[in-house]
Each structure stands twice: as C-alpha cells, then as structure tokens.
C-alpha cells in the first residue's frame, strides 16, 4: 500500500448512493444530503457525493438541492436496475471523472441512511492518522451514537475476529481506503436487490476487500451510522446471497471458513424456526455451490448512465 503522504488526496470522502424516485424515499434522501452538508459546513470535510436516481423523469430529478454545501453529482436512469448494477454504474463514472484517485476513502450510504454530526471527520481522521489502516466498519441504528471527531475517542479498535467483521459490516457501514476500493473493482451483478440472487452484494464486496487488505481493519461496536434498525425478515430474505458471498470468500481465505460454517448453522436454525422455508433452504445451498464455483464477479458491460 502506498503512503498517502506521497500523493495527498484532494478530497476526503467519496460517497455513492442510489435512489428509486418512485420508491417513496425522497425525504430520506434529503435527510442524508442534509447530514452530509452540515458536516461539510461545520467540520470543513471535503466530500463528493454521486447519487444515481432510478425511474427518474426530468421533474423527479430536479430535487430542491440549492442548499447543499457539498459537491453533489446526480446521475439518472429512466428505468430501474439492480442495486449491484447501480453501484457499478457509479463506480464506472467516478473512474471516468478521476474522482476515486483523488479521494481518501469511499462509502456506499443507502438513501435512507444518514451520518450523525462529526462522523465524516472521524472516519477521515482514522485513515489520515493511520496509513496502515485499509478499511473500517461499525454498527448502525435508528438512534445512532454520536462520535467525537478526535483521534483518541476510543470508538474504533483493531479487528481481531473475521466472524465479527461478517456480523457487523453492511453497505452502510463499510468504509474503504480508496486504493483498496480500486483493487476490489466492481460489485458482482449476480447479487443484490433486483439481481438473480437477492442480497449479498455488499457482503461479497466487503469480503473481497477484507481479503485484499494487507493493512489493518478497524471496527466499532457502537452504532455510529443512522439507518433503520435491523429487521428479523432480513435474515431469511438475504440468506442465499450472504451464503454465496461467504462460500466464495472462504474458498480463497481460510480465515473465513468458520464464518461460512457459522452461516450454515444459522440457516439450519432459521429452517428449524420456520423462518427459512424448504425451497429457500435448497436455493441457498445452490447459492453456496455457485459461490464456490464462481471466483470471478459477474459484471456486464458498463457505460455511463
């Protein structure tokens, strides 16, 4: 990993978000934008935020954002694509624009997530003060904990358990040093909401980053990101996608064998409770086999939206 002192980034955070303009979450998206803009204004952090608007007509794309303080860049699609495809379109665009090479770190906040005061500065401080750190993660909650933007806040510590990483990380709580993100590449378009395998795209991307990261991973057990609380139904709905991601990662990294086995045991538990129906269990097993078989992410040809 190159020292950031050699090529200082011109911005701190690069954020990628997608929003279905007919999905009823416009207010939540504006909340996210407001949480970022306030921190840009108060803390002086440098942020570029790409937002891909799906099912967006010209009127829907014209959101009232004249008050936004950060560099906000809208992309739009007339139709709807999977979550993994949407993120790949944005990743492709940021590379074309040369923004990723200028960023210190990258994140993928959902349109209904938000960052409490001081959070962006805190994550920036992590990567700025510790060049050996490649990635960080934390919990999320509907009532997140505010974190002081100081190096000695104590909220983060070095990860020692790959199983804890798997239990904690999500699309909203994955923070990658920019060079690690570039090494990971694109999301697997087999996975994610709207893809052939429902869910798992964020875990798959995070595990590929985890495997590539030669530095340290930091973790906080505090809910430092705002997002609706975890729902019980998520465990069974996205089980197959998560199993695919873990199977592929475990094939190439022995540290992830136990998380994979643990996930299988969770599946048996969900099946016993009736949360995972027999067809879902069989489909999940097939997903695991596909994960073992397909080492290379599937990415269709990408052009800028």
């Amino acid at each position: 990993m190159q020292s950031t002192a050699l090529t200082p980034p011109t911005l701190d955070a690069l954020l990628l978000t997608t929003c279905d303009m007919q999905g009823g979450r416009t207010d939540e998206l504006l909340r996210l934008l407001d949480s970022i803009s306030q921190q840009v204004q108060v803390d002086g952090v440098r942020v570029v935020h790409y937002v891909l608007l799906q099912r967006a007509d010209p009127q829907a794309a014209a959101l009232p954002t004249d008050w936004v303080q950060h560099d906000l860049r809208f992309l739009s699609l007339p139709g709807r694509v999977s979550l993994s495809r949407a993120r790949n379109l944005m990743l492709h665009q940021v590379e074309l624009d040369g923004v990723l090479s200028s960023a210190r770190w990258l994140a993928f906040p959902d349109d209904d997530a938000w960052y409490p005061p001081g959070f962006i500065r805190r994550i920036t401080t992590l990567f700025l003060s510790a060049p050996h750190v490649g990635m960080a993660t934390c919990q999320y909650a509907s009532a997140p904990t505010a974190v002081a933007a100081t190096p000695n806040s104590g909220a983060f510590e070095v990860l020692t358990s790959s199983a804890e990483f798997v239990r904690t990380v999500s699309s909203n709580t994955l923070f990658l040093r920019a060079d690690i993100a570039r090494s990971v590449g694109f999301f697997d378009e087999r996975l994610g909401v709207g893809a052939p395998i429902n869910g798992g795209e964020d875990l798959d991307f995070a595990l590929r980053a985890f495997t590539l990261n030669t530095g340290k991973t930091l973790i906080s057990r505090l809910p430092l990101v705002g997002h609706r609380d975890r729902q019980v139904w998520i465990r069974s709905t996205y089980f197959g996608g998560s199993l695919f991601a873990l199977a592929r990662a475990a094939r190439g990294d022995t540290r992830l064998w136990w998380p994979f086995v643990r996930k299988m045991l969770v599946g048996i538990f969900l099946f016993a409770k009736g949360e995972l129906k027999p067809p879902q269990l069989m489909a999940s097993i097939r997903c695991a086999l596909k994960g073992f078989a397909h080492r290379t992410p599937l990415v269709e040809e990408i052009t800028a939206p």
Side-chain angles (χ1 to χ4, degrees):
M1 184 183 301
Q2 292 183 336
S3 170
T4 56
L6 299 178
T7 55
T10 58
L11 66 103
D12 297 313
L14 172 59
L15 308 177
L16 306 182
T17 299
T18 186
C19 180
D20 179 0
M21 294 303 291
Q22 298 181 37
R25 295 216 295 224
T26 303
D27 288 344
E28 286 85 351
L29 174 61
L30 293 175
R31 177 183 59 186
L32 170 63
L33 300 182
D34 182 55
S35 74
I36 297 166
S37 282
Q38 287 188 31
Q39 294 180 54
V40 168
Q41 190 170 26
V42 173
D43 297 328
V45 289
R46 303 161 300 174
V47 176
V48 173
H49 189 186
Y50 283 76
V51 178
L52 174 62
L53 303 176
Q54 301 190 49
R55 295 200 292 178
D57 56 40
Q59 291 74 30
L63 292 173
T65 57
D66 54 327
W67 49 270
V68 170
Q69 300 294 317
H70 62 284
D71 186 344
L72 178 62
R73 306 184 186 185
F74 284 116
L75 308 172
S76 63
L77 289 174
R80 188 175 182 182
V81 296
S82 70
L83 188 52
S84 53
R85 181 67 176 179
R87 289 175 175 150
N88 284 347
L89 291 172
M90 288 184 286
L91 284 169
H92 177 73
Q93 187 63 52
V94 300
E95 284 286 17
L96 289 179
D97 294 345
V99 179
L100 184 57
S101 61
S102 301
R104 192 175 301 281
W105 56 274
L106 171 70
F108 303 93
D110 288 344
D111 54 0
D112 59 344
W114 71 96
Y115 295 140
F119 181 78
I120 295 175
R121 183 180 173 189
R122 180 68 183 108
I123 297 297
T124 299
T125 300
L126 289 180
F127 289 116
L128 179 61
S129 61
H132 60 285
V133 172
M135 54 198 299
T137 190
C138 65
Q139 299 283 351
Y140 65 79
S142 58
T145 302
V147 58
T150 57
N152 60 350
S153 69
F156 286 87
E157 58 189 51
V158 176
L159 177 76
T160 57
S161 167
S162 57
E164 186 175 20
F165 177 77
V166 171
R167 292 194 300 270
T168 303
V169 74
S170 71
S171 58
N172 291 301
T173 61
L174 174 64
F175 310 100
L176 292 173
R177 189 178 292 277
D179 58 346
I180 296 292
R182 178 177 285 107
S183 297
V184 177
F186 293 102
F187 285 82
D188 192 324
E189 294 180 13
R190 300 181 186 90
L191 306 171
V193 176
I197 300 175
N198 196 22
E201 84 294 337
D202 49 355
L203 180 59
D204 176 71
F205 193 90
L207 289 175
R208 285 190 280 137
F210 180 81
T211 300
L212 290 171
N213 180 27
T214 57
K216 295 184 183 298
T217 299
L218 300 184
I219 188 170
S220 173
R221 295 171 181 82
L222 299 175
L224 303 179
V225 171
H227 189 265
R228 68 179 184 276
D229 296 318
R230 293 182 186 270
Q231 305 294 312
V232 173
W233 58 267
I234 288 177
R235 296 188 299 183
S236 57
T237 301
Y238 300 144
F239 183 79
S242 297
L243 200 59
F244 178 105
L246 279 164
R248 173 155 63 193
R251 174 178 173 174
D253 192 328
T254 57
R255 295 174 299 174
L256 296 168
W257 268 104
W258 166 239
F260 171 69
V261 172
R262 182 182 182 278
K263 193 70 176 180
M264 291 291 292
L265 295 176
V266 168
I268 295 172
F269 171 74
L270 294 178
F271 177 73
K273 286 188 63 178
E275 289 185 35
L276 203 63
K277 305 303 180 184
Q280 290 176 295
L281 179 62
M282 295 304 299
S284 297
I285 293 173
R286 289 193 294 270
C287 285
L289 295 175
K290 290 178 181 178
F292 277 119
H294 298 290
R295 303 196 66 176
T296 304
L298 173 65
V299 182
E300 299 292 342
E301 182 180 358
I302 296 177
T303 57

